[in-house]
Amino acid sequence: LGEKESVLYNILRGDYRSSYITFREKQDSDKPVTLKIAQRKRPMIKIDKDNKKVRIRLYLEADFYSVSADYNIEKRIAEFEGETKKEINSACEEFIKSVRDNYGSDIVGIGLEAKKLFWTNKEFEEYNWREKFSEYDISVDTDFKIRRTGLTMREKE
Protein backbone atom coordinates (compact mmCIF):
# COMPACT_ATOMS: atom_id res chain seq x y z
CA LEU A 1 0.00 0.00 0.00
CA GLY A 2 1.08 3.55 -0.67
CA GLU A 3 0.83 6.50 1.69
CA LYS A 4 -2.79 7.35 0.88
CA GLU A 5 -3.94 3.72 0.94
CA SER A 6 -2.23 3.13 4.30
CA VAL A 7 -4.08 6.07 5.84
CA LEU A 8 -7.40 4.87 4.39
CA TYR A 9 -6.74 1.33 5.62
CA ASN A 10 -6.05 2.54 9.16
CA ILE A 11 -9.14 4.76 9.17
CA LEU A 12 -11.37 1.92 7.95
CA ARG A 13 -9.90 -0.55 10.47
CA GLY A 14 -10.26 1.92 13.36
CA ASP A 15 -6.51 2.00 13.99
CA TYR A 16 -6.00 5.59 12.85
CA ARG A 17 -4.81 8.08 15.43
CA SER A 18 -4.07 11.34 13.66
CA SER A 19 -2.02 12.89 10.91
CA TYR A 20 -1.73 16.01 8.81
CA ILE A 21 -3.51 15.88 5.47
CA THR A 22 -3.60 18.61 2.84
CA PHE A 23 -6.70 19.21 0.75
CA ARG A 24 -6.89 21.42 -2.31
CA GLU A 25 -9.68 23.90 -2.81
CA LYS A 26 -11.81 22.76 -5.75
CA GLN A 27 -12.37 26.31 -6.97
CA ASP A 28 -8.70 27.26 -6.66
CA SER A 29 -6.15 24.46 -6.35
CA ASP A 30 -3.43 27.01 -5.52
CA LYS A 31 -4.94 27.36 -2.04
CA PRO A 32 -4.07 24.26 0.00
CA VAL A 33 -5.64 23.71 3.41
CA THR A 34 -3.79 21.42 5.82
CA LEU A 35 -5.78 19.74 8.57
CA LYS A 36 -4.78 17.61 11.51
CA ILE A 37 -7.33 14.81 11.29
CA ALA A 38 -8.08 12.40 14.16
CA GLN A 39 -10.43 9.47 14.51
CA ARG A 40 -12.98 9.93 17.31
CA LYS A 41 -14.15 6.31 17.51
CA ARG A 42 -14.04 3.05 15.61
CA PRO A 43 -15.98 2.74 12.34
CA MET A 44 -19.45 1.23 12.40
CA ILE A 45 -20.08 -1.40 9.72
CA LYS A 46 -23.64 -2.44 8.86
CA ILE A 47 -24.29 -5.26 6.43
CA ASP A 48 -27.60 -5.99 4.70
CA LYS A 49 -27.08 -9.44 3.23
CA ASP A 50 -30.59 -9.54 1.69
CA ASN A 51 -29.95 -6.43 -0.43
CA LYS A 52 -26.18 -7.02 -0.64
CA LYS A 53 -25.18 -3.67 0.83
CA VAL A 54 -22.38 -2.63 3.15
CA ARG A 55 -22.65 0.73 4.94
CA ILE A 56 -19.62 2.04 6.79
CA ARG A 57 -19.83 5.03 9.11
CA LEU A 58 -16.59 6.85 9.98
CA TYR A 59 -16.10 9.35 12.81
CA LEU A 60 -13.39 11.92 12.13
CA GLU A 61 -12.63 15.40 13.38
CA ALA A 62 -10.04 17.93 12.36
CA ASP A 63 -8.28 21.11 13.33
CA PHE A 64 -6.89 23.65 10.92
CA TYR A 65 -3.13 23.49 10.74
CA SER A 66 -2.27 25.65 7.75
CA VAL A 67 -4.30 27.89 5.46
CA SER A 68 -3.05 30.24 2.73
CA ALA A 69 -2.68 33.78 4.04
CA ASP A 70 -4.94 35.26 1.37
CA TYR A 71 -7.68 32.66 1.82
CA ASN A 72 -10.53 33.27 4.27
CA ILE A 73 -11.85 29.79 5.02
CA GLU A 74 -13.98 31.00 7.93
CA LYS A 75 -16.71 32.19 5.57
CA ARG A 76 -17.20 28.74 4.11
CA ILE A 77 -16.35 26.19 6.82
CA ALA A 78 -19.60 24.21 6.39
CA GLU A 79 -19.05 23.98 2.63
CA PHE A 80 -15.40 22.95 3.13
CA GLU A 81 -16.45 20.27 5.64
CA GLY A 82 -18.95 18.90 3.10
CA GLU A 83 -16.37 18.82 0.29
CA THR A 84 -13.80 17.15 2.53
CA LYS A 85 -16.35 14.60 3.73
CA LYS A 86 -17.23 13.71 0.11
CA GLU A 87 -13.56 13.33 -0.76
CA ILE A 88 -12.95 11.01 2.21
CA ASN A 89 -16.08 8.97 1.42
CA SER A 90 -15.20 8.45 -2.24
CA ALA A 91 -11.54 7.66 -1.46
CA CYS A 92 -12.56 5.00 1.08
CA GLU A 93 -15.15 3.47 -1.26
CA GLU A 94 -12.65 3.35 -4.13
CA PHE A 95 -10.02 1.80 -1.87
CA ILE A 96 -12.30 -1.00 -0.64
CA LYS A 97 -13.61 -1.75 -4.13
CA SER A 98 -10.12 -1.68 -5.65
CA VAL A 99 -8.69 -4.13 -3.13
CA ARG A 100 -11.78 -6.33 -3.40
CA ASP A 101 -11.99 -6.36 -7.20
CA ASN A 102 -8.27 -6.37 -8.08
CA TYR A 103 -6.99 -8.71 -5.38
CA GLY A 104 -10.09 -10.58 -4.19
CA SER A 105 -9.32 -9.39 -0.68
CA ASP A 106 -11.26 -8.09 2.29
CA ILE A 107 -8.37 -6.49 4.19
CA VAL A 108 -10.70 -4.09 5.99
CA GLY A 109 -12.42 -6.99 7.76
CA ILE A 110 -15.98 -6.57 6.53
CA GLY A 111 -16.30 -10.36 6.45
CA LEU A 112 -15.74 -10.50 10.21
CA GLU A 113 -18.81 -8.30 10.64
CA ALA A 114 -20.75 -10.39 8.10
CA LYS A 115 -19.92 -13.52 10.06
CA LYS A 116 -21.97 -12.16 12.97
CA LEU A 117 -25.12 -12.39 10.82
CA PHE A 118 -24.99 -16.19 10.79
CA TRP A 119 -25.84 -18.57 13.63
CA THR A 120 -23.03 -21.00 12.86
CA ASN A 121 -19.70 -20.97 11.11
CA LYS A 122 -21.03 -23.69 8.79
CA GLU A 123 -23.84 -21.35 7.64
CA PHE A 124 -21.28 -18.62 6.98
CA GLU A 125 -19.10 -20.98 4.96
CA GLU A 126 -22.11 -22.21 2.95
CA TYR A 127 -23.02 -18.61 2.18
CA ASN A 128 -19.56 -18.31 0.56
CA TRP A 129 -18.78 -14.75 1.64
CA ARG A 130 -15.55 -14.55 -0.37
CA GLU A 131 -17.40 -14.92 -3.67
CA LYS A 132 -20.54 -13.00 -2.71
CA PHE A 133 -18.59 -10.03 -1.35
CA SER A 134 -17.81 -8.90 -4.90
CA GLU A 135 -21.56 -8.44 -5.50
CA TYR A 136 -22.05 -6.09 -2.55
CA ASP A 137 -22.61 -2.37 -2.96
CA ILE A 138 -20.31 -0.45 -0.62
CA SER A 139 -20.92 3.04 0.69
CA VAL A 140 -19.05 5.09 3.24
CA ASP A 141 -20.49 8.00 5.19
CA THR A 142 -18.23 10.12 7.34
CA ASP A 143 -19.25 12.15 10.36
CA PHE A 144 -16.67 14.89 9.87
CA LYS A 145 -16.34 18.08 11.90
CA ILE A 146 -13.73 20.80 12.03
CA ARG A 147 -13.21 21.76 15.65
CA ARG A 148 -11.91 24.95 17.21
CA THR A 149 -12.48 27.08 14.14
CA GLY A 150 -12.24 30.19 16.28
CA LEU A 151 -8.51 29.63 16.58
CA THR A 152 -7.89 30.46 12.94
CA MET A 153 -6.36 33.87 12.37
CA ARG A 154 -8.99 36.43 11.56
CA GLU A 155 -8.54 38.87 8.74
CA LYS A 156 -9.12 42.54 9.54
CA GLU A 157 -11.84 44.09 7.44
Side-chain angles (χ1 to χ4, degrees):
L1 298 176
E3 178 184 335
K4 180 180 177 182
E5 292 85 7
S6 295
V7 170
L8 295 173
Y9 171 77
N10 285 321
I11 289 172
L12 290 163
R13 292 287 297 171
D15 298 331
Y16 183 75
R17 291 194 180 125
S18 68
S19 66
Y20 297 94
I21 300 176
T22 300
F23 294 91
R24 297 275 175 192
E25 179 65 38
K26 288 189 185 211
Q27 298 161 349
D28 188 355
S29 63
D30 291 338
K31 299 189 191 253
V33 177
T34 303
L35 303 172
K36 181 178 182 182
I37 297 180
Q39 193 164 30
R40 290 188 307 195
K41 60 182 183 177
R42 296 186 63 80
M44 183 181 296
I45 300 173
K46 293 196 178 199
I47 300 169
D48 180 355
K49 71 178 182 179
D50 296 329
N51 296 314
K52 295 189 177 183
K53 293 184 179 192
V54 175
R55 303 287 173 249
I56 301 173
R57 180 96 169 153
L58 302 175
Y59 302 92
L60 301 173
E61 58 188 22
D63 294 320
F64 286 116
Y65 180 73
S66 173
V67 180
S68 294
D70 61 337
Y71 182 54
N72 190 352
I73 191 87
E74 281 187 331
K75 293 182 179 176
R76 51 180 307 277
I77 287 178
E79 185 180 339
F80 181 78
E81 281 178 341
E83 290 171 4
T84 304
K85 176 181 169 174
K86 284 181 189 174
E87 196 170 327
I88 292 169
N89 292 345
S90 68
C92 287
E93 289 169 6
E94 288 173 24
F95 171 71
I96 294 169
K97 291 174 185 174
S98 171
V99 171
R100 176 192 70 185
D101 298 341
N102 295 332
Y103 303 106
S105 179
D106 176 18
I107 64 171
V108 176
I110 297 170
L112 295 174
E113 291 297 317
K115 201 172 197 178
K116 296 175 186 177
L117 302 173
F118 298 89
W119 287 99
T120 64
N121 193 44
K122 183 180 178 187
E123 275 185 60
F124 179 69
E125 288 175 6
E126 288 172 357
Y127 183 75
N128 200 2
W129 171 257
R130 288 184 184 254
E131 283 186 28
K132 297 232 171 129
F133 181 49
S134 64
E135 301 168 10
Y136 276 68
D137 175 49
I138 297 170
S139 69
V140 176
D141 184 38
T142 304
D143 180 3
F144 179 78
K145 293 286 179 206
I146 296 178
R147 308 174 317 141
R148 295 193 288 265
T149 58
L151 297 179
T152 58
M153 228 166 137
R154 295 184 186 267
E155 190 177 289
K156 291 186 179 183
E157 294 179 11

